[in-house]
Amino acid sequence: MGQDDHDSKRDKELGMERRITRRDFLNGVAVTVGASLVPMGVLAQDSGPDASGQDPLLAAGITQQDPRYYPPALTGMRGSHPGSFEAAHLVRDGNWKASASSTGESYDLIVVGGGISGLAAAYFYRKAAGNKARILILDNHDDFGGHAKRNEFRPGGRLLLGNGGTFAIESPFPYSKVARGLMEDLGINPPALAAKYALPNLYERLQAAVFFDKETFGADRLVAGEPSRAWMEATPKSLPWKEYLAKCPLSAEVRHDILRIETQETDYMTGVPEAEKRDRLSRMSYKDFVLKVVKAGPGVIPFYQKRTHDLYGVGIDAVPALDCWALYFPGFQGLGLRRVPEGRLSFTARGAATPDQKPYHFHYPDGNASIARLLVRSLVPGSVPGSNAEDVVMTKVDYSRLDQESSPVRLRLNSTAVQVRHVGEPTSAKEAEVVYALQGKAYKVRGAGVVLACWNMMIPYLCAEIPEQQKKALHYGSKVPLVYTTVAVRNWTAFQNLGVQRAFCPGMYHSSLSLDWPTSIGGYKFPTSPEEPMLVRMTRTPCSPGMSARAQQMAGRYDLLSTPFSTFERNIRDQLGRVLGGGGFDPARDITAITVNRWPHGYAYEYNPLWDPDWPPGQSPCEVGRQRFGRITIANSDAAAAAYTDKAMDEGYRAVTELLGQASAAAGV
Ligand SMILES: Cc1cc2nc3c(=O)[nH]c(=O)nc-3n(C[C@H](O)[C@H](O)[C@H](O)COP(=O)(O)OP(=O)(O)OC[C@H]3O[C@@H](n4cnc5c(N)ncnc54)[C@H](O)[C@@H]3O)c2cc1C
């Protein structure tokens, strides 16, 4: 049998030809739109409009003003979807040419970026300047929320909600007064919501597992009962390490080394003072710690390599050992390090090493998209019906109301800012002008102030006026690429049969898969019976071990933007079939929809003590980069170098305060 015959046979077994949703193999995009909303002609296309890099709704002639416009119901390639990034890349490459026509609009504030930071900036501005303040928010995506995006599925007509990005209200440190205040204004009380609506016992009989794949470990084997670890949600019935390792397809030598790393209390740096231990650990990777300090054999690396992917977007070769200590990774038990946030730790790790933190944790069914929806409800009355932080989950956003002339706040989607400049000298200008691209045309609008809540590394391309040193600093934060894939399945009996709720898959395309996090809130009913349809969450972090974290992130971005949907789909079907097959899962029969939320520009860049210098206070790139420039201020979680929702809010607040401070100064207040 030729390779092609084999591939097509395998594709058939996997169900690649099954009609899950409309598929587009031309440009890596598949789309489903709520059938009731969209003409059949759109649903029927098997390849299509997005081949030219267009948003699928716009390509179908459905604009934001159209009552049928409803992006959360799109499946296929989401996140940085076709049509969202092409104009920005033209600007980056110096190839943006279109001349702009004026819309004649003039605002008190223009916000570039409709993520949590930009929406929060608009909210804080209104709070300070009054409800009559005229605000325009521009975002390049077809939906608002930035990384806080909502995915909808309707298997058999039943609504299932997923988070396209931002998963939960959580942070390594407690929310600031500003961020907490905003949450309170929106009616969000995370501990109370968690106590009332989370379903912590739903999976209580299901274990954590590791899937060993034959390409990496010589045999396909799902081994349930993974011992609980401090950094993971505990599962019952986990096994002692020795018993667990005996079931794994690992050599006796590797099992022995893992057992030693996980359980032995040895001081591998005996005689070294604690401060020096911390310093040395902050300058070596966890991989080097395991190999050179613990002196385990290289055979353990495949077992640990991707354990840092979720948080860092890179493997243990690029994450400092001290960070891993803070995050309760094994091997440090005997080193005698006190749990204090001392030494060169990244932001996330410092939070983890700070005892007695009481951070929030609450997961809305659509993640923090609910926060974005609550912000939009407050900014554009009538667009998000309802009145509280519970009913926001099931309510349907009326996108046609988001950009109406009669509304003081307007939210314009599919609109990429391509140029921002002062009208006159930055020091004395009364206005700034923003040029944006929408469906291949360019428009200009004016604002008395501009908050750039977009990805900070884009700002130097938008804003030629900014001083060179500031541009350099803004360029520094190389965002972390990652993928949140959500797969709708007919039922979850395979998980039940296997006794498993999640699997770490160290050698596979997606490094983890799990049943969706259970929350029933505001009329949303999470599937509680294994016979019901369910969402399976999968995470992929493309990176290239062996290079610096930044180089790996660059390579990962390229990987994401050049991988077609069909490659994702084939890998997803193959992986789910192999991991869950023993429980009766058939990918051809059981998968009903797939959404790949690809984020080439994902987490904000966090300083990594392995690669980054120790900047003096005030001199780190995010601090230099976020300086106010005339009527332009800079928000986004990038401006805090920390990929968290609260930081996005804090930075939105700072940017508005700087702008309004300047306005008051100009008015002699
Ligand atoms: C996959 C993923 C999971 C996460 N999970 C969590 C979590 O569980 N908890 C948590 O607290 N944090 C989490 N984070 C981090 C959190 O989502 C972010 O810190 C926060 O949402 C960032 O908000 P933001 O507004 O600063 O940026 P963004 O959400 O990135 O919003 C910025 C917006 O500006 C747009 N933009 C960029 N350039 C332009 C332009 N030229 N013109 C117009 N618009 C432009 C962008 O496309 C984007 O829509 C996660 C992040 C990712 C990527």
Side-chain angles (χ1 to χ4, degrees), residues 112-118 138-141 145-148 165-168 170 175 368 415-417 453-455 458 462 482 484 599 602-603 636-637 642-645 648:
V112 177
I116 297 284
S117 197
L138 299 169
D139 196 279
N140 57 320
H141 289 100
H147 292 143
T166 321
F167 173 64
E170 62 178 0
Y175 274 35
N368 290 3
S415 300
T416 306
C454 54
W455 299 334
M458 178 74 196
L462 298 182
L482 73 164
Y484 274 15
W599 297 111
Y603 295 156
N636 195 286
S637 59
Y644 295 97
T645 299

Side-chain angles (χ1 to χ4, degrees), residues 73 258 334 484 623 635 655:
I258 294 177
Y484 274 15
E623 291 164 293

Side-chain angles (χ1 to χ4, degrees), residues 412-437:
R412 197 161 295 164
L413 297 167
N414 303 298
S415 300
T416 306
V418 292
Q419 192 179 64
V420 181
R421 63 173 175 213
H422 288 91
V423 182
E425 281 302 307
T427 44
S428 55
K430 299 258 180 309
E431 277 185 315
E433 181 182 82
V434 177
V435 178
Y436 65 91

